[in-house]
Structure formats: structure tokens, C-alpha cells
Amino acid sequence: MRSWCLCQICTCGRHRCPHGTTRIYENSGMSCPTTEYLEKYPTYGNVPPPQSLKPKEEFRACHSKMEGITTFKSDYRPYEIVKQPRHVPEEYKAKQGKIDLGTTYKRDFNSYKVQPVAIVRPLERQQVKKGKLDTVPTYKDDYRAWDIQKSELCKPEQVYNPPTVKFGNSTTFQDDYVPQEVKLRQSFKPSPAVTRPAAPFNDATSHRLDYVPYQLELKSARPKEVYKPSDQPFEDLTTHRYDFQGLVGETAKICRPAPPRVAPNAQFEGSTEFRESFQPWEIPPPEIKKVQEYVPPAGTMQFDSTSHLDYVPHPAKRVVPIRPVSHRRNNGFPFQGKSTMKEDFPAWESCRPGLIRQQQQIPNPSGKFDGLSTFRSHYVPHELIPTESCKPSNVAFKTSIPFDDVTMYSTEYAPKQRELCPASYPSPPGYIFENTNSRGHRFFRKITPTVKAF
């Protein structure tokens, strides 16, 4: 019987056998260097790539006449639009009777007389301090002064002497670099000089060629109308004043019930959980720690530091300032505060000028304001002729022909049953597992149906 590999049983092309190590690399710990791609697709010689059949990106102008019909205009069929009926709300009718403002809280809650809770905190005890406190801190008691000797310096002496001969070695760049003569390149930039054409400037435009001048008619001068004030009085009553007149009415009453008042001077009878759980306790006074007597160390204290011991004083003179000596003369004459400015421009007495008010040339009007403007007096009303609208009516066209919803996909589509790949199962149906070779391929044997003898 012939054995079939899992790669051969697969019909969808997605299932492959896991490649393991070959016999050569079984004990080396390396993966199999051969793959299915290298086995089925051998190498070929120099094969040129196929030529591209992609058309060139060139603009092809269409010389035929353009139709103004689109797919939307040809396929769209307007339908009749029916407006939805508007819902009319019912008229509000007030209910008769009184509102019951009682709640379950008012019914079940019983008010009690509450008194503020007294503070259970113990009283503070002030300790009176008598006498002077003479103690020694733990730092002074634990850390005593010790005799410290001066440590010697471990800094090495500077024996380096700088060379007196000039450094004359050349670098690799100076040895390898050979200077060459650089030639300037010829500039291809055009000269900025403006070339004047020999022909005259053609200033003829399409507007000058196509424009035809016409002779305008003389405008008729309209005579100025004489202002005529109206004899009737001015009506200053607006629609708001006419429609909304002040009516006398009563103020709205508050329907909120009066809050019950609690007397603060009443005493609360009973005990709380806080009083029962937290009762006052006696607090013992704090213990005073005894301080040991201070014993000064024996001997004298050395106040010398490493800087005082290592510092060597040198005789130095004070630096003399470099500024020049001033040759100022001290005279005993008084200072004269006169100048040419004060002599030429003495102060004058000046008074503030009064306000200059312009006399009113136009007298105030005494009569009643007419309220007629120049626009109202000169305006001539004309009959307005409305322009006809060329916009199509927004009414859907209704047709008796049914909508054709047949497409090429619905006519040419043939439904097919989806087949499952047999290699997707852990054990392909109709096959029995035999073995797995050294490359990792799993082989199955096809089951043949048994024929019973009569």
C-alpha cells in the first residue's frame, strides 16, 4: 500500500509537516538545513525579469463631446414624499382638590431634645520646673577628645622637566598630502543683463478688441421735493405696550411646610456608645530620668589644626594703588549758584487762563419733533416684480414601473459548498498513521473498504 504524507493530503495548501533534524544533524543540536522550497524549486541560470505590461502614465485627451448625464441622473428615480402628521398635544386641565404634602419621614420620625456632648478629654497637668538644669548630652559624653598626631603627606615630588628643543616631527597628513593647483570651473549661469526686443510692445487685449463703445443717454434730473410736515400727531404706542398691559395680581404663596424647631437647652437622657466604650482613665505622671554627673577629661585641650601647623607665614608688602594723585584745590570761597540760563530766563508770574467757551450759534428747537427723515421724504416706492425661480421643484416623481434590483452578481453567482481540508484534523479521516521519518514528515496509509464475500 502507498503511504501519503500530510503535505500531500492537504488540499488548502496551509498545512505542512514540522521539519526536524536529519540523520546527519541528529546528535549535533542543529535544525534541518533543507526546506521544502529548496527541494521543489531548484536554481536556474541568468533569467531576465519579465517586462512590465503597465501602461505609461500619459494623458489621453478625449475629442468627443461630453454628455451631461451621470449615473445618478440616469438611475435615480424620484418618489413622492409624504409629510408625517404632526402630534397635537392635549389641553392641560388642572386637577381639583388639595395636595397631600405628608411624607414617611415626617410620619415615622419622632423629634428629641438634644444637648451638646461634653468633652471627656482629661485635663492637662502643668509641671512646674524649679532650679537650673545642668545636664550633659550623650554626644559630649560618648565622643571624647583624643590626641591625634599629624599625618605625613604621600604626594610624590614633581621631577618632570619640559624639553627645550622644538618639536619637529611631521604628521601622516603632511607626508601623504600633495598640494595641487585648483582650476576654476566655467560658470554656465546666464548673464543678468536684460535683452530689449526690437519689435514694439503689443498692448492689444481681448477687452480692447471686442469692446464696442455705446453712447449713453442723458440722465433726467429729478426735481427736489419740498418738505411738508405732517399735521397728525406722532403715534408712539408699540405692539408690546398695546398687547402687554399691567394687570394687578397677588403674590404666589409658599407651599413649603414650616420646619420644626428643636430647643437647645433641653438635656439628653440616655447614654451613647462613645460614652460606654471610652471612659476616662487615670494618667500617671511621667518618669524623670536621672542624669549622671559630668566628669571633665584630664589634661589640656589642643586647639591647633593641620592648617595652623603647616602654614608658613611669608613677609609681604601691601599693594600700592595705581590711581593717579588728585590735584584738587580746597578753596574757602562760598559757592555761587548763578548760571547764564538763570540770568537769561528769569521766572515770571503766571496766572491760570480761564476756559474759552464757544458761543452757541444754532438755537435750540422749540416746536415738536416731526420724525420725518430725508429718506422718507425723497423715497419713491416702485412696484417690485419678483424674478421667476429656475430651481426645479422639490417633489419626487412617482412611477408605476417596479424597481429593477437585479444585478450581475445575483444572476451569475452560484453557491458552492465549502469543503474542509482533511489535514486540519488531528487524524485525517480515511487515513491511519504509520510513522514519522527522520526529516519530520508524517506518513498516513489510506483505509481501503473491505468487501464481504457472499
Side-chain angles (χ1 to χ4, degrees), residues 180-188:
Q180 297 179 358
E181 186 179 357
V182 181
K183 296 181 180 180
L184 299 176
R185 296 183 180 179
Q186 185 179 0
S187 178
F188 293 95

Side-chain angles (χ1 to χ4, degrees), residues 150-410:
K150 181 181 176 182
S151 59
E152 297 181 358
L153 297 175
C154 301
K155 186 176 180 182
E157 297 181 359
Q158 294 182 359
V159 193
Y160 172 73
N161 296 322
T164 56
V165 185
K166 187 178 180 182
F167 182 75
N169 296 335
S170 59
T171 60
T172 55
F173 180 79
Q174 294 176 355
D175 297 340
D176 299 341
Y177 177 71
V178 180
Q180 297 179 358
E181 186 179 357
V182 181
K183 296 181 180 180
L184 299 176
R185 296 183 180 179
Q186 185 179 0
S187 178
F188 293 95
K189 184 178 179 181
S191 60
V194 181
T195 56
R196 296 184 178 180
F201 178 68
N202 186 13
D203 58 347
T205 60
S206 58
H207 180 76
R208 292 182 179 180
L209 297 175
D210 299 340
Y211 178 71
V212 179
Y214 294 95
Q215 188 175 1
L216 301 176
E217 298 178 357
L218 297 175
K219 295 183 179 180
S220 58
R222 187 176 61 183
K224 188 176 181 180
E225 297 181 0
V226 182
Y227 172 67
K228 295 179 180 180
S230 60
D231 301 334
Q232 299 179 1
F234 179 70
E235 296 180 0
D236 56 348
L237 186 63
T238 60
T239 56
H240 182 78
R241 290 183 180 179
Y242 181 76
D243 296 339
F244 298 95
Q245 298 179 1
L247 300 177
V248 180
E250 298 179 356
T251 56
K253 297 181 180 179
I254 299 174
C255 300
R256 184 177 61 187
R261 296 183 179 180
V262 180
N265 298 327
Q267 186 178 2
F268 178 71
E269 298 178 358
S271 62
T272 60
E273 184 181 359
F274 184 81
R275 288 185 177 182
E276 294 177 357
S277 302
F278 300 95
Q279 298 179 4
W281 301 90
E282 294 181 359
I283 301 174
E287 297 180 358
I288 300 173
K289 187 178 179 181
K290 295 181 180 180
V291 183
Q292 297 179 0
E293 295 182 358
Y294 172 71
V295 179
T300 58
M301 184 176 179
Q302 296 180 2
F303 294 97
D304 295 335
S305 62
T306 54
S307 177
H308 290 176
L309 298 174
D310 298 343
Y311 177 71
V312 179
H314 297 278
K317 295 181 180 181
R318 191 173 182 180
V319 181
V320 182
I322 312 175
R323 62 184 178 182
V325 182
S326 61
H327 301 281
R328 186 178 179 182
R329 297 179 181 179
N330 296 325
N331 298 325
F333 301 103
F335 176 73
Q336 295 179 0
K338 295 182 179 180
S339 62
T340 54
M341 176 76 178
K342 289 185 178 181
E343 293 177 355
D344 297 342
F345 297 94
W348 299 89
E349 295 181 359
S350 60
C351 298
R352 187 174 182 180
L355 296 175
I356 302 173
R357 296 183 179 181
Q358 189 177 4
Q359 296 180 0
Q360 189 175 2
Q361 299 178 359
I362 302 174
N364 294 328
S366 59
K368 191 177 181 181
F369 180 66
D370 297 332
L372 187 64
S373 61
T374 54
F375 179 78
R376 291 183 179 180
S377 59
H378 295 293
Y379 176 70
V380 179
H382 297 280
E383 186 179 357
L384 181 64
I385 302 173
T387 56
E388 296 181 0
S389 177
C390 300
K391 183 180 179 181
S393 59
N394 193 11
V395 180
F397 296 97
K398 189 176 181 181
T399 58
S400 59
I401 304 172
F403 180 69
D404 187 10
D405 58 347
V406 180
T407 59
M408 295 176 62
Y409 181 79
S410 60

